[in-house]
Amino acid sequence: MMKLLPAIPIILLSAITLTGLSGCSKEDPFDKLTNLENADLPSTENESGGILPDLSEKENLGDTQVGKSIKLDEITQDTGIDFTYRNGREAGNNSILESLGGGVAIFDYDLNGTLDIFFPGGGKYEGENKQKITGLPGALYSNDGQANFQNVAAVSFTDNQTLYTHGCQVGDFDNDGFPDFVLTGWDRLLLFHNQGDGTFLEINETAGLDNTLWSSSGAWADYNGDGLLDFYVCNYVNWSFENHPYCDGPTPTQREICPPKEFAPLPDNIYYSNGDGTFHNAREFANLNDLGKGLGVMSADYDLDGDVDIYVANDTVANFLYINDGTGQFEERGTLHSVAFDGVGNSNGSMGIDVGDYNLDGKPDIWVANYEQEAFALYRNDGQAMFTYVSDRTGVTSLGGLFVGFGSLFYDFDYDGDEDVLVTNGHVINYPRSGSLLQLPVLLVNEKNANNEYRKMIRKKFDDHGYMATGHMGRGLALGDLDDDGDADFVFSNNVEPAAVVQNSTEQTGLNIRVKLIGRTTNRDAVGSILTLKTSERDYVRLTRGGASYLSQSDPRMYWSLPAGTTVKSLVIRWPDGQVQEVQDIPTDRTLTVVQARM
């Protein structure tokens, strides 16, 4: 049964009380984890016979009791996926270009009801002096529905190797029902237009996505409200072989990859659709800031006012929060809204990002994975997109500064109704002070005390020697129900290390809800929608978004994992154009597809 509701009015407060940045509190109730700075360091042999330090034992701090039911098993060898992102490091250039790595995208490219996977290929150096930058082909893996995959990049014409690639962002930019995607990378973009017959046509030049800067992440969304997807692209730093300084390692004879602070920032770009399959650069109209070093971007309605805002994770400089005025013009308010810096006012090396409602108050909170010796950031949304830094009071800072965090995802792993956080980690330089190049993924389980007075993000310790308990050069991370059993599985893309598929083998003790939206008068992907699942326990909110994680694209469906005994009453959808629609009779054994009702 489906009924149409009137649009919900948006009430703006006449005065907003600013919440200051919060530092460490003496009343922080959470114990710090043991400091193991002097622990013995095991090592792992790399593919060239050298030794890569692996701090798996040192890093594997946490609680074996928390999330006891959660079971994550690597199944890569059983899937047919055999892919490694390459960065050209064998040339010996030691360039910062090699540090970004690659992402992964999960989407149903052929609309056969199963989720497929695309990996950007990376690149290499050619020429006599090994300074000609060129690309390597990506891989498109087609799913037979049982998580068995076949590489169809050649027959689908997605094996283009003209671009040194990093990220993949999926969006149906022409609203024809077939998902298209953009590849970001060195000094150019590629736009693959889905032909609807299992093949793609690369049309970047004719489409007008003329970004000629070094790009990292991107985000599709309808920023100006015309019903068509636009594209935001993060550009990183002004490195080239003409600007390639020598940076010392531990000794002058050991060359280190230079840090981003050695280079000037590059301005981001935003491309608005012309309505005919082409785009124009609207960065001046949109009022974009020139001072970022963008690595991550995520578009969502952070202030719940009916238009899509933008959050940008920058490396070593302030993060941006662009608030949309409804016309596609933005005001950058990262500092004003307390999401530009950490709890003591420092800018961080920010990379992986996601949005979720960790405290179940109905407002979207922001997660940011940062560089080592910097705490990961959790920003609580207090309303009207005004945030408070809560990493200290939620226990996130108890992780210490061991990790260099990249791909990040909110997902409810333990069927208790609240979202947990998964992060993939790995170092970016040759000689880190910690000695740790290979790093463990981190799963933070969202727990509350008996009186629900506070929440704590507790690290789950994996001790089964599987993928989650061993170190990796983690970069991209995406989720999707690859085997169609109701819960989400996870794909990890690593830097010069085979990608991994991790199956969610957790016993399904509760209800799994999966929802796919199809817009009619709004953009077909429905980016910018707000979904409220009404249950006997409480309301649970999800936001459709563009971008998120790091260089990666997750399945666009929304996921809920609910406690056993929960009764689902209805799903209320506020579409990006303000239309509100309520759906009842929510299935738990299959995906619910909701097509926007006709007005």
Side-chain angles (χ1 to χ4, degrees):
M1 176 179 173
M2 184 179 296
K3 61 183 180 179
L4 199 63
L5 300 180
I8 297 175
I10 304 300
I11 301 175
L12 298 178
L13 299 180
S14 59
I16 298 175
T17 301
L18 300 184
T19 303
L21 294 169
S22 58
C24 296
S25 170
K26 295 181 180 180
E27 298 179 355
D28 189 340
F30 310 121
D31 296 330
K32 300 296 183 184
L33 295 176
T34 304
N35 185 349
L36 299 184
E37 281 298 321
N38 298 318
D40 293 333
L41 308 182
S43 61
T44 300
E45 187 172 351
N46 68 18
E47 61 183 23
S48 62
I51 299 297
L52 292 179
D54 180 355
L55 300 193
S56 295
E57 293 302 321
K58 177 179 177 181
E59 292 175 347
N60 205 1
L61 305 169
D63 190 331
T64 57
Q65 298 304 304
V66 67
K68 288 191 298 183
S69 65
I70 299 172
K71 195 169 185 295
L72 302 176
D73 298 316
E74 184 181 2
I75 60 169
T76 313
Q77 290 185 342
D78 300 326
T79 65
I81 290 176
D82 181 14
F83 182 81
T84 299
Y85 178 91
R86 302 287 179 178
N87 65 2
R89 70 180 186 185
E90 63 277 3
N93 286 320
N94 293 291
S95 79
I96 192 174
L97 179 65
E98 301 160 28
S99 65
L100 265 62
V104 56
I106 299 178
F107 64 111
D108 182 7
Y109 83 94
D110 52 4
L111 301 188
N112 68 350
T114 64
L115 291 176
D116 312 300
I117 301 173
F118 183 86
F119 295 100
K124 60 183 179 179
Y125 308 100
E126 294 181 336
E128 184 176 350
N129 60 358
K130 298 294 184 182
Q131 292 189 356
K132 179 184 177 182
I133 301 169
T134 187
L136 290 171
L140 177 61
Y141 283 93
S142 180
N143 187 354
D144 69 356
Q146 302 296 319
N148 298 310
F149 293 85
Q150 180 180 3
N151 190 348
V152 296
V155 296
S156 63
F157 305 113
T158 56
D159 57 346
N160 185 300
Q161 51 188 317
T162 62
L163 176 68
Y164 187 123
T165 53
H166 294 306
C168 180
Q169 299 299 326
V170 180
D172 182 6
F173 74 89
D174 56 356
N175 286 340
D176 67 351
F178 290 91
D180 315 295
F181 64 89
V182 164
L183 295 184
T184 62
W186 173 251
D187 278 5
R188 196 155 57 95
L189 302 174
L190 295 177
L191 173 60
F192 288 86
H193 184 213
N194 195 328
Q195 302 299 289
D197 59 359
T199 68
F200 290 79
L201 181 65
E202 202 289 301
I203 62 167
N204 179 71
E205 186 173 342
T206 57
L209 294 180
D210 59 358
N211 189 76
T212 57
L213 303 175
W214 177 16
S215 58
S216 54
S217 291
W220 291 102
D222 178 10
Y223 299 112
N224 58 2
D226 64 358
L228 298 167
L229 288 180
D230 311 305
F231 189 68
Y232 186 104
V233 56
C234 285
N235 293 313
Y236 190 39
V237 297
N238 189 26
W239 172 87
S240 67
F241 278 115
E242 289 71 37
N243 182 26
H244 183 45
Y246 188 100
C247 291
D248 289 336
T251 70
T253 60
Q254 295 174 310
R255 185 170 187 175
E256 185 56 279
I257 294 175
C258 290
K261 290 185 177 180
E262 292 286 329
F263 307 99
L266 293 176
D268 295 347
N269 282 316
I270 191 166
Y271 291 89
Y272 284 0
S273 173
N274 295 322
D276 59 359
T278 66
F279 299 83
H280 67 277
N281 194 334
R283 72 173 323 277
E284 292 187 5
F285 173 81
N287 301 314
L288 298 191
N289 191 311
D290 288 341
L291 301 179
K293 298 180 180 182
L295 286 179
V297 59
M298 181 170 54
S299 299
D301 188 0
Y302 299 109
D303 52 6
L304 304 179
D305 68 347
D307 52 39
V308 181
D309 312 301
I310 304 170
Y311 185 74
V312 180
N314 289 312
D315 196 359
T316 70
V317 296
N319 295 335
F320 300 150
L321 176 62
Y322 289 107
I323 299 298
N324 196 338
D325 70 358
T327 69
Q329 290 187 300
F330 297 89
E331 182 179 351
E332 200 291 294
R333 299 182 187 172
T335 301
L336 179 65
H337 288 217
S338 300
V339 290
F341 306 105
D342 63 17
V344 292
N346 293 324
S347 58
N348 296 147
S350 299
M351 290 157 295
I353 51 179
D354 202 8
V355 62
D357 180 14
Y358 88 95
N359 59 350
L360 300 177
D361 67 353
K363 296 184 284 290
D365 310 304
I366 295 175
W367 169 269
V368 183
N370 293 318
Y371 194 69
E372 69 177 1
Q373 303 305 315
E374 300 168 350
F376 293 165
L378 179 59
Y379 299 99
R380 185 187 68 211
N381 193 332
D382 297 322
Q384 301 295 313
M386 303 298 298
F387 292 85
T388 299
Y389 179 88
V390 294
S391 293
D392 45 6
R393 66 192 69 182
T394 55
V396 173
T397 53
S398 65
L399 287 172
L402 294 174
F403 301 102
V404 179
F406 286 95
S408 299
L409 296 172
F410 275 104
Y411 181 77
D412 184 0
F413 288 84
D414 54 358
Y415 290 94
D416 64 353
D418 55 37
E419 294 176 283
D420 313 299
V421 177
L422 178 63
V423 186
T424 183
N425 305 288
H427 227 297
V428 296
I429 60 176
N430 297 326
Y431 308 102
R433 292 182 179 180
S434 65
S436 178
L437 289 172
L438 307 183
Q439 299 186 354
L440 292 172
V442 167
L443 173 57
L444 294 174
V445 180
N446 187 353
E447 300 282 69
K448 62 182 179 181
N449 73 339
N451 298 322
N452 199 23
E453 294 171 348
Y454 58 80
R455 289 187 169 270
K456 183 177 181 181
M457 308 295 279
I458 306 174
R459 183 177 178 192
K460 174 177 172 54
K461 181 177 180 181
F462 291 88
D463 54 8
D464 58 1
H465 305 292
Y467 186 87
M468 298 296 295
T470 53
H472 307 282
M473 294 287 282
R475 293 297 188 270
L477 174 62
L479 67 78
D481 186 2
L482 300 177
D483 51 9
D484 200 32
D485 66 348
D487 55 25
D489 308 296
F490 306 89
V491 181
F492 293 79
S493 177
N494 300 306
N495 201 15
V496 199
E497 178 190 337
V501 180
V502 173
Q503 182 182 56
N504 189 348
S505 305
T506 304
E507 181 182 359
Q508 298 185 17
T509 58
L511 304 178
N512 286 306
I513 308 293
R514 293 162 293 167
V515 177
K516 177 181 179 180
L517 300 183
I518 299 177
R520 270 200 177 111
T521 58
T522 184
N523 67 91
R524 190 178 178 91
D525 290 351
V527 176
S529 298
I530 302 167
L531 297 83
T532 303
L533 190 68
K534 294 183 173 296
T535 78
S536 56
E537 296 292 320
R538 63 186 312 131
D539 292 350
Y540 298 95
V541 175
R542 298 285 187 271
L543 273 64
T544 59
R545 57 205 183 279
S549 193
Y550 174 74
L551 308 177
S552 298
Q553 176 83 49
S554 288
D555 175 12
R557 293 179 295 181
M558 296 290 100
Y559 288 77
W560 288 263
S561 306
L562 303 178
T566 302
T567 300
V568 179
K569 298 178 180 179
S570 68
L571 175 70
V572 177
I573 304 161
R574 194 180 77 183
W575 298 88
D577 60 4
Q579 181 182 346
V580 177
Q581 186 173 346
E582 185 170 15
V583 182
Q584 298 176 335
D585 301 323
I586 312 299
T588 60
D589 60 344
R590 65 186 186 280
T591 297
L592 170 67
T593 299
V594 182
V595 179
Q596 185 179 14
R598 296 186 185 278
M599 296 294 288

